[in-house]
Amino acid sequence: MDNFQALMLALIQGLTEFLPISSSAHLILPSQVLGWPDQGLAFDVAVHLGTLLAVLVYYRRDVWAMTRGAGQGLVERRVNPDLRLGLLVVLATIPAVAAGFLLKDLIENELRSAAVIATTTVVFGVALWLADIWGARRRGVDQLGVGSALLIGVAQAVALIPGTSRSGITITAALALGFRREDAARFSFLLSIPVILGAGLLKTKDLLESRVPVDWMHMALGVVVSAVTAYLTILFFLRLLDRIGMLPFMLYRLLLGAVLFLWFV
């Protein structure tokens, strides 16, 4: 992998991690169409770290509030609103963790084909749009309950199927449950923190065990470019969300799915 390829892959990861358009559907294109080599474990760790830094910086107030709320809750022995939100994030993470351990072999061996990615890109793109136009869009994150958090968590577990889009399906679930667009995106992005952290730690463990030589320049490039790109993506996505809705992302996913079907299937 040369410097240009590393730059482009970090840009793709930063752009697609938080937009509801599926990172796996985009990352298949450089390798399959252009014949680019696999980016490798070290670079995977780098871009995961970059996107994690981006969401932590953007939602630093929420993260600090949940951390402080947890401390206050332990001292006062009561559940305050910030602690409650943190607990709901943890609760909604459990289904994806359980599904990842139970279905790891099935996902890696049976569900990584171009046909699956193309199909999920289209199907869940339409689902996103339908949830947007049919959802009540009246609830805020402060109205999130245990049942809603679990349902969004189950939706996140479905995102283990390549092409689904983690942010896309969690926002879809939240919109279908009546949450406002910005609140749906906010909870989805907060929910990404433990997921990205966990995936990064697993990849770091695999990297240490593999003893593969590390290209530190490419790693640094991956961290910086993916972090800056992901932060700007979150910023502009949230600013434009109420104006544009989900229709542009649905149309884009239909186009991308059509390209994948024509090219690979």
Side-chain angles (χ1 to χ4, degrees), residues 156 166-168 170-171 183-192:
Q156 181 171 241
R166 193 211 61 82
S167 63
T170 50
I171 291 173
D183 290 276
R186 178 187 171 201
F187 188 69
S188 171
F189 294 160
L190 288 174
L191 198 53
S192 75

Side-chain angles (χ1 to χ4, degrees), residues 16-256:
T16 59
E17 180 67 39
F18 297 109
L19 290 180
I21 54 178
S22 173
S23 58
S24 56
H26 288 78
L27 291 172
I28 192 177
L29 294 172
S31 60
Q32 297 294 323
V33 176
L34 302 176
W36 288 7
D38 182 86
Q39 60 195 50
L41 273 173
F43 197 76
D44 270 346
V45 170
V47 295
H48 273 84
L49 176 58
T51 52
L52 178 63
L53 288 173
V55 72
L56 284 173
V57 170
Y58 191 89
Y59 284 105
R60 60 193 179 278
R61 291 185 180 87
D62 281 315
V63 173
W64 170 243
M66 287 187 290
T67 304
R68 184 183 57 199
Q72 289 178 347
L74 288 174
V75 172
E76 299 172 1
R77 295 184 180 181
R78 67 180 182 87
V79 177
N80 54 63
D82 293 323
L83 172 58
R84 183 175 179 276
L85 178 58
L87 291 174
L88 290 174
V89 168
V90 172
L91 178 66
T93 304
I94 293 173
V97 174
F101 278 110
L102 294 174
L103 304 176
K104 183 175 182 291
D105 291 339
L106 172 66
I107 293 165
E108 291 185 351
N109 298 327
E110 306 294 336
L111 300 178
R112 291 194 177 275
S113 68
V116 170
I117 293 174
T119 301
T120 52
T121 296
V122 170
V123 169
F124 290 110
V126 174
L128 174 66
W129 177 64
L130 291 176
D132 189 40
I133 63 173
W134 287 343
R137 298 207 298 270
R138 295 174 182 170
R139 301 172 67 189
V141 169
D142 58 322
Q143 296 171 290
L144 183 69
V146 171
S148 296
L150 274 174
L151 287 172
I152 296 171
V154 170
Q156 181 171 241
V158 176
L160 293 169
I161 304 173
T164 302
S165 172
R166 193 211 61 82
S167 63
I169 196 166
T170 50
I171 291 173
T172 298
L175 289 172
L177 290 168
F179 287 88
R180 294 185 290 267
R181 288 168 177 160
E182 186 173 346
D183 290 276
R186 178 187 171 201
F187 188 69
S188 171
F189 294 160
L190 288 174
L191 198 53
S192 75
I193 294 173
V195 171
I196 298 174
L197 178 61
L201 289 174
L202 287 175
K203 289 180 181 294
T204 300
K205 175 178 174 292
D206 292 340
L207 177 63
L208 293 174
E209 291 176 350
S210 69
R211 298 181 181 179
V212 174
V214 175
D215 189 326
W216 293 105
M217 187 180 74
H218 282 170
M219 280 198 72
L221 182 65
V223 171
V224 173
V225 173
S226 62
V228 173
T229 307
Y231 182 88
L232 293 175
T233 298
I234 296 172
L235 177 67
F236 287 105
F237 176 69
L238 291 176
R239 285 187 178 181
L240 294 173
L241 191 53
D242 274 335
R243 299 182 196 173
I244 63 176
M246 296 300 172
L247 179 60
F249 301 105
M250 187 270 284
L251 294 175
Y252 179 81
R253 289 181 67 131
L254 291 181
L255 177 62
L256 178 60

